[in-house]
Amino acid sequence: MQLRSLSSIELPPTADFHVHLRQDAMMELCTPLVEKGGCDTVYVMPNLQPPIKTVSEALAYHDKLTRLAPNVKFLMSLYLHPGLTPEMIAEAARTGVIYGVKFYPAGVTTNSQDGILDIEQLYPVFEAMEKHDLVLNLHGEMISSPPGAYVKEDGSPAVTVLNAEPMFLPQLHKLHAAFPKLRIVLEHVSTRQGLEAVRQCGPTVAGTITAHHLWMVIDDWCGDVFNFCKPVAKTPEDRVALIKAVVEGSGKFFFGSDSAPHPIQAKKGPGSTAAGCFTQPYCASIVIGAIEEALAQGWIRDDEVTIDAIEGFLSKFGRAFYKLPAASSTSKIRLEKKGEKIPDVVRSEDGSVEVVPWGRGKEIRSMNHLDMN
């Protein structure tokens, strides 16, 4: 496929299986932008303040999002916490709106302070999820060791942002072995080791890959707070491995943007920099641009890129894994080269909320929804 020579590409609408839409004014700004990014279906993360821990909270959140973007299908999730019970899992499965439960190691990323320290204590919940066919979404990172630590008390290497994902992977294999019928997603895979771990598991395990990880390496986030995310971007070798996973067409990997908006002051203000890259309004175009860049650099060949693989990654594979219907054949998006650039700031109409999008100033394909009727 001569992707770079095509001025226009038509694809099914994107399905984004990992997105943060926040709450209050930030939610009102970001939720209508889902369609602008080319998406008609999104899987919504539950790490609000406070987190979405109950079925009633998830349903109320779903109603708010649907009012803001009625043409989008919102798939909801619950926040995995020690108070979650098998009975609550059964209740969630009956809603037809809640599709999974998100696991955060306590303290590993934004609003994860209520997360899990001992994963085995939730085995009865995982058994119920397996029974009721809900998806377990893993933020696959170990909690970082204290600053200055060389080894942990048990003699294992200190955990840093660079090795936190590889050091978590034994937990993935352990869970898959204990619950082989439980659908598990290793979210926002950022390393070659993470990709290989997913490949080693059976068909009930998949991985999501973000748009921004297809563009960045360590150097990019070290010097720019707006590129800082969790997991952080890793090495050039990891970046190339991720791009190859996108175009391999195996069905083991599909799109999850992990688009995570933060106010400018949360990214640049005093104290810790908030982790997250905001890509939602441009996500499909950013992915296509990353593939084109990989072709230009010679990391992949034209004959390795097919329209089936691109459609699979952005739309079909994730829908199939989550047991959703395929996108309507009468609905398409068109990505065209028109010289559009990602803006420096996305702001609300009244100017009270400002977010810096990832890739500001980068030229991307313009996106339009098509009605094929």
Side-chain angles (χ1 to χ4, degrees):
M1 177 183 180
Q2 301 292 321
L3 178 62
R4 290 179 293 163
S5 66
L6 298 177
S7 61
S8 176
I9 311 168
E10 291 185 8
L11 300 168
T14 299
D16 183 349
F17 286 92
H18 186 133
V19 65
H20 298 269
L21 296 174
R22 307 305 192 204
Q23 59 206 105
D24 303 326
M26 184 66 81
M27 174 188 70
E28 293 178 8
L29 169 64
C30 294
T31 305
L33 298 177
V34 168
E35 285 186 272
K36 184 179 178 182
C39 299
D40 70 350
T41 301
V42 291
Y43 187 66
V44 184
M45 294 295 104
N47 60 329
L48 306 186
Q49 292 181 319
I52 302 295
K53 292 183 176 182
T54 69
V55 169
S56 60
E57 290 168 349
L59 295 178
Y61 190 27
H62 178 269
D63 289 346
K64 291 178 182 179
L65 298 175
T66 301
R67 284 196 294 270
L68 290 168
N71 295 326
V72 176
K73 183 177 180 64
F74 294 98
L75 315 179
M76 310 309 292
S77 61
L78 295 179
Y79 189 104
L80 187 64
H81 63 98
L84 196 60
T85 66
E87 291 75 20
M88 293 169 69
I89 293 299
E91 181 187 3
R94 289 192 294 267
T95 66
V97 169
I98 300 171
Y99 282 75
V101 178
K102 179 65 183 288
F103 163 78
Y104 293 97
V108 75
T109 191
T110 303
N111 299 342
S112 62
Q113 59 270 18
D114 294 324
I116 299 301
L117 292 172
D118 178 9
I119 201 168
E120 290 190 13
Q121 69 176 305
L122 274 303
Y123 271 26
V125 171
F126 301 149
E127 184 177 4
M129 291 177 64
E130 191 175 48
K131 175 182 176 181
H132 294 285
D133 203 23
L134 292 186
V135 175
L136 175 61
N137 307 95
L138 299 176
H139 183 113
E141 291 189 290
M142 295 292 283
I143 303 169
S144 295
S145 302
Y150 286 95
V151 294
K152 297 176 71 175
E153 290 182 1
D154 62 1
S156 61
V159 182
T160 72
V161 292
L162 295 179
N163 66 10
E165 180 175 285
M167 292 188 70
F168 178 87
L169 298 175
Q171 297 286 341
L172 168 64
H173 291 298
K174 182 178 179 179
L175 282 169
H176 182 45
F179 304 97
K181 295 181 181 179
L182 175 63
R183 286 181 291 156
I184 300 174
V185 179
L186 182 63
E187 299 291 347
H188 41 54
V189 182
S190 65
T191 61
R192 292 164 292 169
Q193 297 98 315
L195 296 170
E196 189 54 35
V198 171
R199 293 186 180 108
Q200 289 170 358
C201 294
T204 56
V205 175
T208 56
I209 298 174
T210 77
H212 53 276
H213 280 115
L214 300 177
W215 279 98
M216 296 196 299
V217 297
I218 299 167
D219 299 40
D220 296 303
W221 60 263
C222 280
D224 189 338
V225 294
F226 297 108
N227 288 342
F228 178 67
C229 55
K230 290 286 191 75
V232 299
K234 307 299 194 303
T235 69
E237 292 79 11
D238 291 313
R239 178 187 174 191
V240 172
L242 291 171
I243 291 171
K244 289 184 175 181
V246 167
V247 300
E248 73 183 22
S250 68
K252 291 289 282 184
F253 304 100
F254 47 84
F255 183 56
S257 69
D258 194 18
S259 178
H262 292 283
I264 291 177
Q265 54 269 33
K267 297 291 285 185
K268 295 184 68 174
S272 299
T273 296
C277 293
F278 178 52
T279 56
Q280 189 65 57
Y282 316 100
C283 58
S285 297
I286 293 171
V287 171
I288 296 300
I291 298 172
E292 292 181 292
E293 175 67 11
L295 289 166
Q297 296 294 335
W299 300 333
I300 53 176
R301 304 185 311 273
D302 285 314
D303 62 359
E304 294 180 280
V305 180
T306 67
I307 193 66
D308 286 344
I310 293 174
E311 290 183 356
F313 176 75
L314 283 174
S315 185
K316 295 180 178 179
F317 298 153
R319 295 180 203 267
F321 188 86
Y322 277 83
K323 301 184 179 181
L324 300 174
S328 171
S329 60
T330 62
S331 181
K332 296 282 186 180
I333 61 172
R334 177 181 291 154
L335 304 174
E336 297 181 271
K337 294 182 179 179
K338 292 184 175 181
E340 181 180 350
K341 293 184 178 181
I342 297 175
D344 291 337
V345 177
V346 174
R347 57 173 55 91
S348 59
E349 288 187 9
D350 63 3
S352 62
V353 181
E354 293 186 321
V355 182
V356 174
W358 177 89
R360 58 200 187 280
K362 183 181 293 295
E363 187 170 317
I364 56 169
R365 289 175 181 258
S366 298
M367 199 290 302
N368 292 292
H369 287 272
L370 304 178
D371 185 354
M372 307 302 289
N373 287 319

